[in-house]
Amino acid sequence: MSKINKIHVFSDFDGTIAIKDIGDQLFKDFGEFEPWHSKLLAGEMEISEYWLKVCSTLDKNLTPQDLTKYAENCEIDPYFKSFADFCASNGFPLTVVSDGYDAYINPILKKLGLEHLPVHSNRLNYEDSAFVPMFPGASESCDCFCASCKRNSVLNSTDSDSIIVFIGDGNSDMCVAEHSDIVFAKKRLAAYCNKERIPHYPYKTFFDVKKIMADIIKKGKYRSRHQAVLKRKKAFEVE
């Protein structure tokens, strides 16, 4: 198998595929975002504790159908569908990795005609007229800022000679970026990559990502990143 066929692309959802952080906006609109979010950022709450708390504040009249309609009206990067088609045409698996929730991610992907994409995220179940968060991707061995460990999602979806491409923007993307070979970063993730000297491509939209990826392929600039390979090996040893 050629090296190009070993490229596997992973993308964050909130703030990356979706223009805004839908997870944050959901609780601003239908629950209590503060003071809990500030407590989370201050290190006064664990991420799973935060999700459990804010989910408990959601409006009791909110239904799964309401949430689906809400999601379908959220603004998505207008170039994401084109990028997904680009990945498909080149044979690059594209996977969504998120610390958000399937309850709004899946309806959006379906609206885009991309419901076939694998999604690794938290789950938001509806039980006894209440939304209950579930964390199937939680990891005790990783101290990342995630209830759904993106690092493990990536490692469990690839093999040792895969070239991992990651696209993200925020705190929950920092750990997985360290373990990736090609990184596209903006906002807080870009600042973190600069601080930690993680090579990355800055971007604004998936138009930029597609253009840069096409150039990388054309020039054959895709290869494993030594430090990322070492971190992946260490992660496997810990797990």
Side-chain angles (χ1 to χ4, degrees):
M1 183 176 288
S2 67
K3 210 170 186 181
I4 193 171
N5 289 332
K6 300 300 290 183
I7 294 175
H8 196 142
V9 183
F10 297 86
S11 178
D12 169 52
F13 189 84
D14 289 288
T16 303
I17 296 173
I19 299 298
K20 294 183 178 181
D21 189 315
I22 299 176
D24 287 352
Q25 194 63 45
L26 177 67
F27 297 105
K28 291 177 182 178
D29 291 342
F30 298 104
E32 295 178 10
F33 184 65
E34 293 292 0
W36 316 114
H37 190 255
S38 294
K39 288 180 177 291
L40 172 68
L41 295 181
E44 297 174 18
M45 301 179 77
E46 297 292 331
I47 184 68
S48 57
E49 180 186 7
Y50 164 76
W51 283 131
L52 286 166
K53 179 61 183 179
V54 293
C55 284
S56 72
T57 71
L58 283 172
D59 189 331
K60 301 305 179 184
N61 293 318
L62 185 69
T63 67
Q65 293 75 22
D66 294 331
L67 187 50
T68 295
K69 291 179 181 179
Y70 178 81
E72 291 174 343
N73 288 320
C74 290
E75 188 179 4
I76 304 304
D77 186 310
Y79 303 101
F80 177 65
K81 178 63 165 63
S82 175
F83 176 73
D85 293 342
F86 165 80
C87 289
S89 66
N90 281 282
F92 305 151
L94 172 60
T95 300
V96 176
V97 288
S98 173
D99 198 38
Y101 290 95
D102 59 349
Y104 60 79
I105 294 173
N106 292 340
I108 289 173
L109 293 180
K110 184 176 181 179
K111 184 179 179 180
L112 294 172
L114 297 172
E115 63 266 36
H116 59 280
L117 294 181
V119 176
H120 298 261
S121 70
N122 301 312
R123 295 175 187 162
L124 198 56
N125 295 344
Y126 191 64
E127 304 171 2
D128 298 325
S129 300
F131 288 98
V132 181
M134 306 293 289
F135 313 112
S139 172
E140 294 183 0
S141 67
C142 187
D143 59 359
C144 62
F145 197 74
C146 288
S148 179
C149 181
K150 297 181 184 182
R151 182 202 71 179
N152 283 6
S153 293
V154 168
L155 297 186
N156 291 333
S157 301
T158 56
D159 52 37
S160 60
D161 59 346
S162 293
I163 295 174
I164 297 170
V165 178
F166 180 73
I167 308 153
D169 78 307
N171 292 341
S172 67
D173 301 321
M174 294 173 182
C175 177
V176 66
E178 294 179 355
H179 294 76
S180 300
D181 300 301
I182 300 172
V183 178
F184 291 87
K186 62 181 179 178
K187 300 179 182 176
R188 290 180 179 175
L189 178 59
Y192 179 79
C193 288
N194 286 329
K195 178 183 176 183
E196 299 298 324
R197 298 183 180 180
I198 299 172
H200 64 284
Y201 295 94
Y203 75 99
K204 291 184 178 179
T205 70
F206 276 92
F207 177 87
D208 304 322
V209 179
K210 178 182 174 182
K211 183 178 179 180
I212 295 168
M213 280 288 293
D215 186 63
I216 288 172
I217 294 164
K218 181 180 180 181
K219 295 180 179 178
K221 293 164 63 178
Y222 43 88
R223 58 183 60 86
S224 299
R225 186 169 66 90
H226 181 64
Q227 289 300 321
V229 171
L230 293 179
K231 280 188 170 291
R232 294 199 291 266
K233 288 182 177 178
K234 184 176 180 180
F236 276 118
E237 291 171 358
V238 173
E239 287 293 327

PDB file of all heavy atoms in Angstrom, residues 63-87:
ATOM      1  N   THR A  63     -36.866  18.786  24.168  1.00  0.00           N
ATOM      2  CA  THR A  63     -36.995  17.391  23.726  1.00  0.00           C
ATOM      3  C   THR A  63     -35.907  17.066  22.711  1.00  0.00           C
ATOM      4  O   THR A  63     -35.269  17.970  22.151  1.00  0.00           O
ATOM      5  CB  THR A  63     -38.360  17.157  23.064  1.00  0.00           C
ATOM      6  OG1 THR A  63     -38.410  17.898  21.824  1.00  0.00           O
ATOM      7  CG2 THR A  63     -39.499  17.586  23.982  1.00  0.00           C
ATOM      8  N   PRO A  64     -35.661  15.776  22.435  1.00  0.00           N
ATOM      9  CA  PRO A  64     -34.699  15.404  21.390  1.00  0.00           C
ATOM     10  C   PRO A  64     -35.056  16.015  20.036  1.00  0.00           C
ATOM     11  O   PRO A  64     -34.168  16.396  19.269  1.00  0.00           O
ATOM     12  CB  PRO A  64     -34.798  13.877  21.366  1.00  0.00           C
ATOM     13  CG  PRO A  64     -35.207  13.506  22.752  1.00  0.00           C
ATOM     14  CD  PRO A  64     -36.153  14.591  23.159  1.00  0.00           C
ATOM     15  N   GLN A  65     -36.341  16.121  19.746  1.00  0.00           N
ATOM     16  CA  GLN A  65     -36.772  16.730  18.488  1.00  0.00           C
ATOM     17  C   GLN A  65     -36.398  18.210  18.441  1.00  0.00           C
ATOM     18  O   GLN A  65     -35.948  18.726  17.394  1.00  0.00           O
ATOM     19  CB  GLN A  65     -38.283  16.562  18.319  1.00  0.00           C
ATOM     20  CG  GLN A  65     -38.758  15.129  18.113  1.00  0.00           C
ATOM     21  CD  GLN A  65     -38.745  14.296  19.390  1.00  0.00           C
ATOM     22  OE1 GLN A  65     -38.778  14.859  20.497  1.00  0.00           O
ATOM     23  NE2 GLN A  65     -38.672  12.986  19.260  1.00  0.00           N
ATOM     24  N   ASP A  66     -36.558  18.896  19.565  1.00  0.00           N
ATOM     25  CA  ASP A  66     -36.159  20.306  19.648  1.00  0.00           C
ATOM     26  C   ASP A  66     -34.658  20.453  19.422  1.00  0.00           C
ATOM     27  O   ASP A  66     -34.207  21.376  18.732  1.00  0.00           O
ATOM     28  CB  ASP A  66     -36.508  20.894  21.019  1.00  0.00           C
ATOM     29  CG  ASP A  66     -37.997  20.966  21.282  1.00  0.00           C
ATOM     30  OD1 ASP A  66     -38.758  21.108  20.313  1.00  0.00           O
ATOM     31  OD2 ASP A  66     -38.384  20.858  22.468  1.00  0.00           O
ATOM     32  N   LEU A  67     -33.903  19.547  20.000  1.00  0.00           N
ATOM     33  CA  LEU A  67     -32.450  19.601  19.891  1.00  0.00           C
ATOM     34  C   LEU A  67     -31.998  19.358  18.450  1.00  0.00           C
ATOM     35  O   LEU A  67     -31.064  20.008  17.961  1.00  0.00           O
ATOM     36  CB  LEU A  67     -31.816  18.569  20.825  1.00  0.00           C
ATOM     37  CG  LEU A  67     -30.287  18.596  20.964  1.00  0.00           C
ATOM     38  CD1 LEU A  67     -29.789  19.999  21.266  1.00  0.00           C
ATOM     39  CD2 LEU A  67     -29.853  17.637  22.058  1.00  0.00           C
ATOM     40  N   THR A  68     -32.683  18.441  17.765  1.00  0.00           N
ATOM     41  CA  THR A  68     -32.364  18.182  16.359  1.00  0.00           C
ATOM     42  C   THR A  68     -32.613  19.424  15.506  1.00  0.00           C
ATOM     43  O   THR A  68     -31.773  19.805  14.674  1.00  0.00           O
ATOM     44  CB  THR A  68     -33.205  17.005  15.822  1.00  0.00           C
ATOM     45  OG1 THR A  68     -32.830  15.810  16.511  1.00  0.00           O
ATOM     46  CG2 THR A  68     -32.979  16.810  14.325  1.00  0.00           C
ATOM     47  N   LYS A  69     -33.749  20.076  15.710  1.00  0.00           N
ATOM     48  CA  LYS A  69     -34.075  21.297  14.966  1.00  0.00           C
ATOM     49  C   LYS A  69     -33.060  22.403  15.278  1.00  0.00           C
ATOM     50  O   LYS A  69     -32.640  23.156  14.385  1.00  0.00           O
ATOM     51  CB  LYS A  69     -35.489  21.762  15.304  1.00  0.00           C
ATOM     52  CG  LYS A  69     -36.588  20.859  14.772  1.00  0.00           C
ATOM     53  CD  LYS A  69     -37.970  21.385  15.173  1.00  0.00           C
ATOM     54  CE  LYS A  69     -39.072  20.466  14.672  1.00  0.00           C
ATOM     55  NZ  LYS A  69     -40.429  20.945  15.082  1.00  0.00           N
ATOM     56  N   TYR A  70     -32.676  22.492  16.536  1.00  0.00           N
ATOM     57  CA  TYR A  70     -31.685  23.485  16.957  1.00  0.00           C
ATOM     58  C   TYR A  70     -30.368  23.247  16.220  1.00  0.00           C
ATOM     59  O   TYR A  70     -29.759  24.188  15.686  1.00  0.00           O
ATOM     60  CB  TYR A  70     -31.488  23.379  18.464  1.00  0.00           C
ATOM     61  CG  TYR A  70     -30.460  24.314  19.049  1.00  0.00           C
ATOM     62  CD1 TYR A  70     -30.783  25.641  19.325  1.00  0.00           C
ATOM     63  CD2 TYR A  70     -29.181  23.864  19.353  1.00  0.00           C
ATOM     64  CE1 TYR A  70     -29.846  26.512  19.878  1.00  0.00           C
ATOM     65  CE2 TYR A  70     -28.235  24.716  19.902  1.00  0.00           C
ATOM     66  CZ  TYR A  70     -28.570  26.032  20.165  1.00  0.00           C
ATOM     67  OH  TYR A  70     -27.634  26.885  20.712  1.00  0.00           O
ATOM     68  N   ALA A  71     -29.943  21.987  16.178  1.00  0.00           N
ATOM     69  CA  ALA A  71     -28.682  21.641  15.526  1.00  0.00           C
ATOM     70  C   ALA A  71     -28.714  21.958  14.045  1.00  0.00           C
ATOM     71  O   ALA A  71     -27.751  22.495  13.477  1.00  0.00           O
ATOM     72  CB  ALA A  71     -28.384  20.158  15.747  1.00  0.00           C
ATOM     73  N   GLU A  72     -29.815  21.648  13.402  1.00  0.00           N
ATOM     74  CA  GLU A  72     -29.926  21.839  11.957  1.00  0.00           C
ATOM     75  C   GLU A  72     -29.855  23.309  11.545  1.00  0.00           C
ATOM     76  O   GLU A  72     -29.578  23.623  10.388  1.00  0.00           O
ATOM     77  CB  GLU A  72     -31.223  21.216  11.445  1.00  0.00           C
ATOM     78  CG  GLU A  72     -31.219  19.693  11.510  1.00  0.00           C
ATOM     79  CD  GLU A  72     -32.560  19.081  11.145  1.00  0.00           C
ATOM     80  OE1 GLU A  72     -33.574  19.815  11.162  1.00  0.00           O
ATOM     81  OE2 GLU A  72     -32.597  17.876  10.857  1.00  0.00           O
ATOM     82  N   ASN A  73     -30.092  24.208  12.504  1.00  0.00           N
ATOM     83  CA  ASN A  73     -30.031  25.640  12.219  1.00  0.00           C
ATOM     84  C   ASN A  73     -28.695  26.275  12.588  1.00  0.00           C
ATOM     85  O   ASN A  73     -28.516  27.484  12.411  1.00  0.00           O
ATOM     86  CB  ASN A  73     -31.160  26.370  12.961  1.00  0.00           C
ATOM     87  CG  ASN A  73     -32.524  26.093  12.357  1.00  0.00           C
ATOM     88  OD1 ASN A  73     -32.668  26.039  11.143  1.00  0.00           O
ATOM     89  ND2 ASN A  73     -33.521  25.899  13.210  1.00  0.00           N
ATOM     90  N   CYS A  74     -27.771  25.458  13.090  1.00  0.00           N
ATOM     91  CA  CYS A  74     -26.455  25.982  13.466  1.00  0.00           C
ATOM     92  C   CYS A  74     -25.592  26.183  12.225  1.00  0.00           C
ATOM     93  O   CYS A  74     -25.672  25.431  11.263  1.00  0.00           O
ATOM     94  CB  CYS A  74     -25.768  25.031  14.447  1.00  0.00           C
ATOM     95  SG  CYS A  74     -26.533  24.994  16.082  1.00  0.00           S
ATOM     96  N   GLU A  75     -24.732  27.191  12.284  1.00  0.00           N
ATOM     97  CA  GLU A  75     -23.886  27.527  11.138  1.00  0.00           C
ATOM     98  C   GLU A  75     -22.674  26.595  11.063  1.00  0.00           C
ATOM     99  O   GLU A  75     -21.957  26.405  12.040  1.00  0.00           O
ATOM    100  CB  GLU A  75     -23.416  28.981  11.241  1.00  0.00           C
ATOM    101  CG  GLU A  75     -22.690  29.469  10.007  1.00  0.00           C
ATOM    102  CD  GLU A  75     -22.255  30.926  10.121  1.00  0.00           C
ATOM    103  OE1 GLU A  75     -22.467  31.515  11.207  1.00  0.00           O
ATOM    104  OE2 GLU A  75     -21.716  31.458   9.134  1.00  0.00           O
ATOM    105  N   ILE A  76     -22.466  26.040   9.876  1.00  0.00           N
ATOM    106  CA  ILE A  76     -21.368  25.107   9.631  1.00  0.00           C
ATOM    107  C   ILE A  76     -20.368  25.734   8.664  1.00  0.00           C
ATOM    108  O   ILE A  76     -20.748  26.525   7.791  1.00  0.00           O
ATOM    109  CB  ILE A  76     -21.923  23.787   9.034  1.00  0.00           C
ATOM    110  CG1 ILE A  76     -22.979  23.183   9.959  1.00  0.00           C
ATOM    111  CG2 ILE A  76     -20.805  22.781   8.784  1.00  0.00           C
ATOM    112  CD1 ILE A  76     -22.509  22.919  11.377  1.00  0.00           C
ATOM    113  N   ASP A  77     -19.102  25.393   8.816  1.00  0.00           N
ATOM    114  CA  ASP A  77     -18.096  25.874   7.866  1.00  0.00           C
ATOM    115  C   ASP A  77     -18.572  25.537   6.450  1.00  0.00           C
ATOM    116  O   ASP A  77     -18.776  24.363   6.122  1.00  0.00           O
ATOM    117  CB  ASP A  77     -16.751  25.189   8.152  1.00  0.00           C
ATOM    118  CG  ASP A  77     -15.606  25.728   7.309  1.00  0.00           C
ATOM    119  OD1 ASP A  77     -15.769  25.823   6.074  1.00  0.00           O
ATOM    120  OD2 ASP A  77     -14.556  26.054   7.871  1.00  0.00           O
ATOM    121  N   PRO A  78     -18.767  26.531   5.593  1.00  0.00           N
ATOM    122  CA  PRO A  78     -19.337  26.278   4.269  1.00  0.00           C
ATOM    123  C   PRO A  78     -18.469  25.420   3.361  1.00  0.00           C
ATOM    124  O   PRO A  78     -18.951  24.924   2.329  1.00  0.00           O
ATOM    125  CB  PRO A  78     -19.511  27.690   3.686  1.00  0.00           C
ATOM    126  CG  PRO A  78     -18.532  28.537   4.432  1.00  0.00           C
ATOM    127  CD  PRO A  78     -18.493  27.956   5.815  1.00  0.00           C
ATOM    128  N   TYR A  79     -17.210  25.233   3.736  1.00  0.00           N
ATOM    129  CA  TYR A  79     -16.294  24.447   2.905  1.00  0.00           C
ATOM    130  C   TYR A  79     -16.071  23.036   3.434  1.00  0.00           C
ATOM    131  O   TYR A  79     -15.300  22.275   2.844  1.00  0.00           O
ATOM    132  CB  TYR A  79     -14.945  25.172   2.781  1.00  0.00           C
ATOM    133  CG  TYR A  79     -15.067  26.566   2.210  1.00  0.00           C
ATOM    134  CD1 TYR A  79     -15.036  27.679   3.050  1.00  0.00           C
ATOM    135  CD2 TYR A  79     -15.238  26.766   0.845  1.00  0.00           C
ATOM    136  CE1 TYR A  79     -15.164  28.960   2.535  1.00  0.00           C
ATOM    137  CE2 TYR A  79     -15.365  28.049   0.316  1.00  0.00           C
ATOM    138  CZ  TYR A  79     -15.327  29.135   1.171  1.00  0.00           C
ATOM    139  OH  TYR A  79     -15.456  30.400   0.655  1.00  0.00           O
ATOM    140  N   PHE A  80     -16.728  22.692   4.547  1.00  0.00           N
ATOM    141  CA  PHE A  80     -16.480  21.366   5.118  1.00  0.00           C
ATOM    142  C   PHE A  80     -16.958  20.242   4.201  1.00  0.00           C
ATOM    143  O   PHE A  80     -16.267  19.231   4.035  1.00  0.00           O
ATOM    144  CB  PHE A  80     -17.132  21.215   6.490  1.00  0.00           C
ATOM    145  CG  PHE A  80     -16.952  19.841   7.070  1.00  0.00           C
ATOM    146  CD1 PHE A  80     -15.697  19.375   7.411  1.00  0.00           C
ATOM    147  CD2 PHE A  80     -18.045  18.977   7.230  1.00  0.00           C
ATOM    148  CE1 PHE A  80     -15.512  18.083   7.911  1.00  0.00           C
ATOM    149  CE2 PHE A  80     -17.869  17.698   7.729  1.00  0.00           C
ATOM    150  CZ  PHE A  80     -16.601  17.255   8.073  1.00  0.00           C
ATOM    151  N   LYS A  81     -18.125  20.388   3.603  1.00  0.00           N
ATOM    152  CA  LYS A  81     -18.643  19.346   2.712  1.00  0.00           C
ATOM    153  C   LYS A  81     -17.684  19.119   1.552  1.00  0.00           C
ATOM    154  O   LYS A  81     -17.395  17.967   1.173  1.00  0.00           O
ATOM    155  CB  LYS A  81     -20.027  19.744   2.180  1.00  0.00           C
ATOM    156  CG  LYS A  81     -20.639  18.736   1.186  1.00  0.00           C
ATOM    157  CD  LYS A  81     -20.882  17.385   1.827  1.00  0.00           C
ATOM    158  CE  LYS A  81     -21.807  16.515   1.000  1.00  0.00           C
ATOM    159  NZ  LYS A  81     -21.274  16.172  -0.336  1.00  0.00           N
ATOM    160  N   SER A  82     -17.166  20.187   0.983  1.00  0.00           N
ATOM    161  CA  SER A  82     -16.209  20.078  -0.117  1.00  0.00           C
ATOM    162  C   SER A  82     -14.937  19.373   0.349  1.00  0.00           C
ATOM    163  O   SER A  82     -14.366  18.549  -0.378  1.00  0.00           O
ATOM    164  CB  SER A  82     -15.869  21.467  -0.661  1.00  0.00           C
ATOM    165  OG  SER A  82     -14.867  21.394  -1.645  1.00  0.00           O
ATOM    166  N   PHE A  83     -14.507  19.680   1.578  1.00  0.00           N
ATOM    167  CA  PHE A  83     -13.310  19.020   2.111  1.00  0.00           C
ATOM    168  C   PHE A  83     -13.565  17.532   2.318  1.00  0.00           C
ATOM    169  O   PHE A  83     -12.699  16.701   2.021  1.00  0.00           O
ATOM    170  CB  PHE A  83     -12.891  19.667   3.430  1.00  0.00           C
ATOM    171  CG  PHE A  83     -11.723  18.991   4.084  1.00  0.00           C
ATOM    172  CD1 PHE A  83     -10.441  19.133   3.569  1.00  0.00           C
ATOM    173  CD2 PHE A  83     -11.896  18.183   5.203  1.00  0.00           C
ATOM    174  CE1 PHE A  83      -9.360  18.490   4.151  1.00  0.00           C
ATOM    175  CE2 PHE A  83     -10.827  17.539   5.788  1.00  0.00           C
ATOM    176  CZ  PHE A  83      -9.549  17.692   5.263  1.00  0.00           C
ATOM    177  N   ALA A  84     -14.736  17.191   2.838  1.00  0.00           N
ATOM    178  CA  ALA A  84     -15.087  15.785   3.037  1.00  0.00           C
ATOM    179  C   ALA A  84     -15.089  15.043   1.696  1.00  0.00           C
ATOM    180  O   ALA A  84     -14.609  13.900   1.607  1.00  0.00           O
ATOM    181  CB  ALA A  84     -16.446  15.664   3.710  1.00  0.00           C
ATOM    182  N   ASP A  85     -15.601  15.681   0.658  1.00  0.00           N
ATOM    183  CA  ASP A  85     -15.597  15.078  -0.679  1.00  0.00           C
ATOM    184  C   ASP A  85     -14.171  14.912  -1.196  1.00  0.00           C
ATOM    185  O   ASP A  85     -13.842  13.914  -1.859  1.00  0.00           O
ATOM    186  CB  ASP A  85     -16.396  15.938  -1.655  1.00  0.00           C
ATOM    187  CG  ASP A  85     -17.889  15.965  -1.334  1.00  0.00           C
ATOM    188  OD1 ASP A  85     -18.355  15.070  -0.599  1.00  0.00           O
ATOM    189  OD2 ASP A  85     -18.577  16.885  -1.811  1.00  0.00           O
ATOM    190  N   PHE A  86     -13.323  15.881  -0.883  1.00  0.00           N
ATOM    191  CA  PHE A  86     -11.904  15.819  -1.267  1.00  0.00           C
ATOM    192  C   PHE A  86     -11.233  14.604  -0.618  1.00  0.00           C
ATOM    193  O   PHE A  86     -10.481  13.864  -1.269  1.00  0.00           O
ATOM    194  CB  PHE A  86     -11.217  17.115  -0.841  1.00  0.00           C
ATOM    195  CG  PHE A  86      -9.720  17.076  -0.849  1.00  0.00           C
ATOM    196  CD1 PHE A  86      -9.007  17.233  -2.024  1.00  0.00           C
ATOM    197  CD2 PHE A  86      -9.010  16.890   0.334  1.00  0.00           C
ATOM    198  CE1 PHE A  86      -7.615  17.205  -2.037  1.00  0.00           C
ATOM    199  CE2 PHE A  86      -7.630  16.855   0.344  1.00  0.00           C
ATOM    200  CZ  PHE A  86      -6.923  17.022  -0.850  1.00  0.00           C
ATOM    201  N   CYS A  87     -11.496  14.409   0.673  1.00  0.00           N
ATOM    202  CA  CYS A  87     -10.928  13.249   1.380  1.00  0.00           C
ATOM    203  C   CYS A  87     -11.408  11.947   0.748  1.00  0.00           C
ATOM    204  O   CYS A  87     -10.631  11.016   0.523  1.00  0.00           O
ATOM    205  CB  CYS A  87     -11.297  13.292   2.854  1.00  0.00           C
ATOM    206  SG  CYS A  87     -10.473  14.584   3.803  1.00  0.00           S
TER     207      CYS A  87
END
